[in-house]
């Protein structure tokens, strides 16, 4: 039998036996939507630059112009990306009660765009931003509009404070979604990990909270030996097979 078919059949079987299944996704699920994985070996942005110096809270405070010039062009690309097969199948799986929802490390918002309802974005998202002075909320497009008009950094229209995206920067506290994700993981019988090497905290501890795991990732992870099913493939290929088996 075709390897992917076999892996998808095993996964479908585990899902049908599981009383509570969640998905946990990372950068690898969005590469097929044209968003590069910044931690991938050799080509990743964070191989070239130190994230602490480029995408941390102290970088934003000490040099907001450089912070925006470095980060906003790629965040604009995220905001314009479209969900792929893997995102769409996960949304369908939730609709059909095969999974309870998706915990994601990604800030691209593609699970919500694909129609997932229970999404825990542990590193935040790019739908909104807020003023660091008065905490007033803005649509993220306001920061983009100002940036494109040459106003760098973008500012609050009320108090003139600098706007910051609602993403979790290095040095920021954990998001409320992180704590909600931990609650959601209580009693989790099956965790389907997609496109995450499970190396980045806070998700690196999450596999311990699930009874069983399926890992779909292009490269091996340190949790592979603990997983019931592992496949090193593209997420889209796997989910196409899984969708046909689950008839969704
Ligand atoms: Zn303000």
């Amino acid at each position: 039998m075709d390897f992917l078919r076999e892996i998808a059949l095993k996964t479908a079987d585990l899902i049908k036996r599981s009383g509570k299944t969640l998905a946990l996704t990372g950068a690898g699920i969005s590469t097929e939507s044209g968003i590069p994985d910044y931690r991938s070996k050799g080509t990743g942005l964070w191989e070239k630059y130190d994230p602490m110096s480029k995408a941390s809270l102290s970088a934003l405070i000490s040099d907001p112009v450089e912070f925006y010039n470095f980060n906003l062009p790629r965040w604009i690309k995220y905001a314009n990306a479209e969900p792929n097969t893997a995102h769409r199948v996960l949304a369908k799986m939730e609709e059909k009660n095969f999974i309870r929802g998706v915990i994601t490390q990604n800030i691209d918002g593609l699970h919500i765009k694909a129609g997932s309802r229970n999404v825990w974005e542990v590193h935040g998202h790019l739908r909104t931003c807020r003023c660091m002075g008065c905490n007033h909320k803005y649509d993220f497009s306001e920061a983009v509009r100002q940036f494109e008009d040459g106003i760098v950094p973008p500012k609050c229209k009320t108090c003139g404070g600098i706007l910051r995206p609602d993403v979790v920067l290095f040095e920021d506290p954990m998001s409320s979604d992180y704590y909600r994700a931990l609650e959601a993981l209580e009693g989790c019988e099956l965790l389907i990990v997609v496109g995450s090497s499970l190396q980045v905290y806070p998700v690196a501890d999450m596999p311990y909270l699930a009874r069983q795991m399926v890992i779909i990732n292009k490269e091996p992870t340190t949790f592979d030996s603990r997983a019931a099913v592992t496949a090193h493939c593209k997420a889209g290929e796997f989910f196409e097979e899984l969708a046909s088996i689950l008839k969704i």
Side-chain angles (χ1 to χ4, degrees):
M1 199 189 318
D2 175 53
F3 172 72
L4 265 180
R5 184 87 187 159
E6 194 183 322
I7 292 296
L9 275 169
K10 277 188 191 164
T11 303
D13 190 47
L14 289 171
I15 291 169
K16 283 171 188 165
R17 291 160 192 263
S18 163
K20 185 175 189 182
T21 304
L22 288 163
L24 170 61
T25 69
I29 196 172
S30 293
T31 53
E32 288 164 74
S33 291
I35 297 176
D37 179 356
Y38 291 115
R39 289 181 189 276
S40 61
K41 287 198 189 80
T43 54
L45 190 70
W46 299 144
E47 295 250 308
K48 259 190 282 175
Y49 299 100
D50 172 14
M52 291 303 281
S53 74
K54 295 291 187 185
S56 62
L57 186 60
S58 51
L60 170 59
I61 291 164
S62 66
D63 193 347
V65 175
E66 168 63 13
F67 177 90
Y68 269 98
N69 283 332
F70 183 83
N71 290 300
L72 204 61
R74 75 191 156 89
W75 286 342
I76 290 171
K77 274 190 214 154
Y78 293 7
N80 292 330
E82 291 300 327
N84 62 53
T85 305
H87 296 107
R88 284 193 292 268
V89 173
L90 281 170
K92 265 270 185 267
M93 285 169 72
E94 182 188 338
E95 191 190 311
K96 303 285 182 194
N97 291 318
F98 289 113
I99 60 170
R100 301 286 181 97
V102 182
I103 300 164
T104 187
Q105 295 171 276
N106 301 335
I107 60 170
D108 52 40
L110 292 178
H111 287 296
I112 287 175
K113 263 193 194 173
S116 284
R117 288 178 182 192
N118 290 324
V119 183
W120 298 276
E121 296 167 310
V122 296
H123 290 164
H125 58 79
L126 291 167
R127 291 182 295 280
T128 54
C129 54
R130 65 185 189 271
C131 171
M132 292 206 291
C134 71
N135 224 22
H136 188 87
K137 282 259 185 202
Y138 290 89
D139 203 274
F140 185 69
S141 61
E142 176 60 27
V144 174
R145 189 190 60 75
Q146 290 193 29
F147 182 82
E148 286 173 344
D149 284 348
I151 304 167
V152 185
K155 295 206 174 70
C156 175
K157 286 190 255 186
T158 313
C159 79
I162 294 171
L163 300 184
R164 60 153 297 168
D166 283 327
V167 300
V168 178
L169 300 171
F170 296 94
E171 303 163 342
D172 265 333
M174 298 289 192
S175 63
S176 53
D177 269 26
Y178 165 71
Y179 294 103
R180 282 196 278 266
L182 290 185
E183 280 173 30
L185 278 164
E186 266 174 46
C188 178
E189 292 183 15
L190 180 65
L191 186 63
I192 305 173
V193 179
V194 189
S196 174
S197 54
L198 299 168
Q199 281 171 335
V200 182
Y201 285 88
V203 305
D205 280 338
M206 289 182 176
Y208 297 110
L209 302 173
R211 199 156 61 84
Q212 276 193 310
M213 261 191 302
V214 168
I215 299 180
I216 309 300
N217 195 49
K218 272 186 87 177
E219 286 170 8
T221 79
T222 50
F223 287 96
D224 283 6
S225 59
R226 302 170 57 107
V229 174
T230 311
H232 303 139
C233 65
K234 284 186 178 173
E237 295 171 352
F238 169 80
F239 277 99
E240 224 173 271
E241 286 290 342
L242 187 60
S244 89
I245 293 162
L246 296 174
K247 298 186 173 63
I248 54 174

